[in-house]
Structures are given as structure tokens and as C-alpha cells.
Amino acid sequence: MNVNDYDFELPETLIAQTPLLDRSASRLLTLNKGSGEVGHHTFSDIVQYLQPGDTLVLNDTRVIPARLFGIKEDTGAKAEVLLLKQLEGDRWEALVKPGKKLKKGAVIVFGDELKAVIEEEGDMGGRVLSFSYEGIFQEILDRLGQMPLPPYIKEQLDDRERYQTVYARHEGSAAAPTAGLHFTEELLDRIREKGVSIAFVTLHVGLGTFRPMSVDTIEEHVMHEEYYSLSQETADVLNETKARGGRVVAVGTTSCRTLETVGNTFGDGLLQASSGWTQIFIYPGYEFRVVDAMITNFHLPKSTLVMLVSALAGRENIMHAYQEAIDQEYRFFSFGDAMFIY
């Protein structure tokens, strides 16, 4: 399959730069994966599309202020570091800029509190860094770091919490699970009152989110590893949902990838608690084991995420729905509007 089959023209004016004042006031495009029928709503209308007996699965990862700005110790040149994955202790996988000038052995200083040495070089700006400091790393990061907004967002974010879901708990993500940004506590309460269960998984979004596909053929692409965790409590809820004929509704591609990773681990048996690293790449032809429906934002052209939603709804349905969203001037990407595939 060709990557270019998932390309589309997106006017730059439709890339959302700031979050809405009211999280749940974003627009919602509904897509029936069977008929291809498209509908236009407000996100809070999602309650109408969820049925008693369904389970909504949320990714409760919390974004860390992973973008650091410093200087090279020997030259004073500016350096930028984006933390992606903690390896062990104070060693981190990261992206650096400018990649050509930050070689193995280079030392980057961030004010008076933090210093990093580049230990290993990877491709496309990837590095392994070792940090030294006095005190508690997370507290230093809170003071010095900035939220790692995607490069297509040019506006400053005044309130860090607007790039967190209201249910974010477990720190470790380099990007927000953006489909969850539309939920408020009030909306979640309304969903529970309707008889819909809410369950949580954790997937810390990592390197794959920031890397474009560099191959022409989809099957050649290799996803980077991301850490996931699914508790026995969530496994029990999902098993009960399936047993009673309810739907498992994934909120976001990250929840979807976690659920399908666990589903593949246990095959046709009951789901159990599971954690580890996943490289799952879902594209058309994939057979879903766990996920029946999904809430998701609108994704970048030729991205693995467009391929994932196409696997669930069909490529033609997705490309038609995306064109409809463009024609109707929906807001795209992280702070943009949402889609419900059912």
C-alpha cells in the first residue's frame, strides 16, 4: 500500500492554534463505518451516541514539560532538547536541535541547575542524554521545561493544563492524547449517568508522534516503542462489556493501540492485566480484536494515525469524511475538533 494514498490538501488556516475556552464546545463529526454516513454535531452531543452497556476507554497519561532550551557549554550556541523516553536513572532518549552540531560528548547546560551529556547518536536528531543535577529532577523540569506542543502550533500556551486531559494521572508522555482534551468532568459525569462504564489505560506517547513516515510503502514503516499499561480492573470491565454485547469505545488512537496490543497478546481469551512496550502499527487490513468504536481528532496527511482510523472505518470513508471536514472548516490536529467513528 502506498503512503500517498493517505494524502490530502489541508488549508493552513484550519490548523487549530489555541484550545477553545470550553473543552466540550468543539465540533464533532460522526462517521458510520458501515454506511459511510457523516453527521455534524457539538462534542457534548457524544452522550447521544453512547449506549448503556458501552465502555469508554481513556488514556490517563500525563504530559511532562519535556522541551528544554539550553546552550552548548563550549560555544554558548543555542540548543533545544525534547525528552521522549526515560531509559534508566537519569538517561533519556530525546530529540535535539540543531542535530548536526550536537554530537556525542557534547555538553548542554540549562541555567545553573541542569546539565546534559550526549552519550549516543541516533538518526533524525535522536540522541541519548545523561543528566546531572542537584535536587529532584521532576521539580527542575517543572521550573525549566516547556510543554512539548507540536511544531505546527505557533501560538504560546498560556495555561499548561489545557494540554492535559482533565483525568491525566501518570506522568511520562511527550505529547497529549488529544482526543481526550474535549472531555470535562461534567461531561464524564453525564456519560456515567447514562450507564456507560469508564475505564483507563496508560500509553506514554513517544518518538513515533514526532517522526514523519520516511518510506513510500506502508508495510515498510516501523513504529517506535511506547510504554503501555492496562490494569486488571480495566481488563475485567472490558471482558464484562464484551460478554454483555456492549461496545468498547476507544478515546484516541493511543487508547486504541493499547487495547489492540493487549487484545493481540491474549488472542481469543479473556483480557488480563498487561504492561510493556508496544510497536503496534494498525493500517487497513488489520482485524480489530477489542475496539468497536473510536473518538479521535483529525490527523496529519500521510500519517500513521490516518492509516489507523482508515483501518477501522475504511479508507474511502475516512478520506470522504476528511474532505467534508475541510469543506465545513473544522479545526484540525491537537487543539482541533473531533470525530466519532461508530
Side-chain angles (χ1 to χ4, degrees), residues 49-326:
Y49 282 85
L50 300 173
Q51 304 300 327
D54 289 347
T55 293
L56 198 66
V57 183
L58 309 172
N59 179 8
D60 62 7
T61 187
R62 187 169 178 82
V63 186
I64 60 174
R67 181 165 272 125
L68 290 163
F69 294 93
I71 58 171
K72 279 189 73 182
E73 189 174 50
D74 56 350
T75 66
K78 291 180 180 179
E80 180 182 339
V81 171
L82 176 62
L83 302 179
L84 293 173
K85 183 168 76 176
Q86 188 171 12
L87 300 175
E88 67 279 330
D90 294 316
R91 297 177 74 245
W92 285 76
E93 185 179 288
L95 291 178
V96 301
K97 288 182 185 178
K100 290 181 180 178
K101 295 186 177 180
L102 294 168
K103 303 292 187 182
K104 184 176 179 178
V107 178
I108 307 170
V109 292
F110 310 91
D112 299 325
E113 299 181 82
L114 190 63
K115 184 180 290 190
V117 178
I118 296 176
E119 293 189 345
E120 298 175 24
E121 291 184 48
D123 58 351
M124 296 175 70
R127 300 288 188 274
V128 173
L129 281 69
S130 178
F131 285 92
S132 58
Y133 53 90
E134 290 187 9
I136 299 171
F137 184 76
Q138 192 58 54
E139 291 181 357
I140 295 171
L141 199 59
D142 282 340
R143 286 195 295 274
L144 300 182
Q146 295 185 14
M147 293 304 276
L149 296 178
Y152 49 76
I153 294 178
K154 312 298 183 189
E155 297 285 332
Q156 282 290 107
L157 184 64
D158 295 330
D159 179 4
R160 279 186 181 185
E161 287 303 306
R162 290 312 309 271
Y163 196 56
Q164 306 278 14
T165 62
V166 296
Y167 46 80
R169 284 187 295 192
H170 301 293
E171 292 192 330
S173 196
T178 54
L181 296 178
H182 305 282
F183 289 93
T184 62
E185 293 289 3
E186 180 188 17
L187 183 56
L188 290 170
D189 286 342
R190 287 175 56 202
I191 289 168
R192 291 186 185 96
E193 288 167 6
K194 190 167 182 178
V196 175
S197 301
I198 292 179
F200 295 94
V201 296
T202 303
L203 183 135
H204 293 322
V205 188
L207 193 61
T209 295
F210 297 92
R211 286 271 172 88
M213 292 185 74
S214 56
V215 295
D216 296 324
T217 305
I218 290 171
E219 292 86 348
E220 294 175 359
H221 180 69
V222 178
M223 298 284 283
H224 281 78
E225 289 186 330
E226 292 170 312
Y227 178 80
Y228 76 92
S229 177
L230 185 147
S231 67
Q232 188 58 48
E233 179 184 4
T234 291
D236 291 342
V237 171
L238 296 172
N239 290 331
E240 291 166 10
T241 302
K242 290 291 190 183
R244 64 173 175 253
R247 296 177 302 173
V248 173
V249 181
V251 175
T253 56
T254 58
S255 296
C256 176
R257 294 178 67 243
T258 302
L259 293 169
E260 291 302 312
T261 296
V262 177
N264 291 331
T265 300
F266 295 102
D268 295 325
L270 293 176
L271 300 178
Q272 299 174 35
S274 179
S275 63
W277 298 89
T278 181
Q279 284 182 287
I280 191 169
F281 180 18
I282 297 174
Y283 55 87
Y286 178 86
E287 293 188 14
F288 287 82
R289 290 182 178 272
V290 181
V291 174
D292 300 299
M294 179 163 45
I295 297 167
T296 183
N297 278 20
F298 293 93
H299 306 294
L300 278 76
K302 298 197 291 188
S303 65
T304 61
L305 305 183
V306 168
M307 294 164 197
L308 186 155
V309 295
S310 295
L312 184 64
R315 177 188 167 278
E316 288 188 8
N317 285 343
I318 287 294
M319 299 311 281
H320 172 259
Y322 268 53
Q323 190 57 54
E324 180 82 3
I326 292 167

Side-chain angles (χ1 to χ4, degrees), residues 6-30:
Y6 296 86
D7 196 10
F8 56 90
E9 290 290 329
L10 180 71
E12 196 170 325
T13 54
L14 298 186
I15 300 174
Q17 292 296 319
T18 53
L20 296 180
L21 203 59
D22 176 2
R23 290 174 182 259
S24 63
S26 51
R27 296 166 75 185
L28 176 70
L29 184 147
T30 55

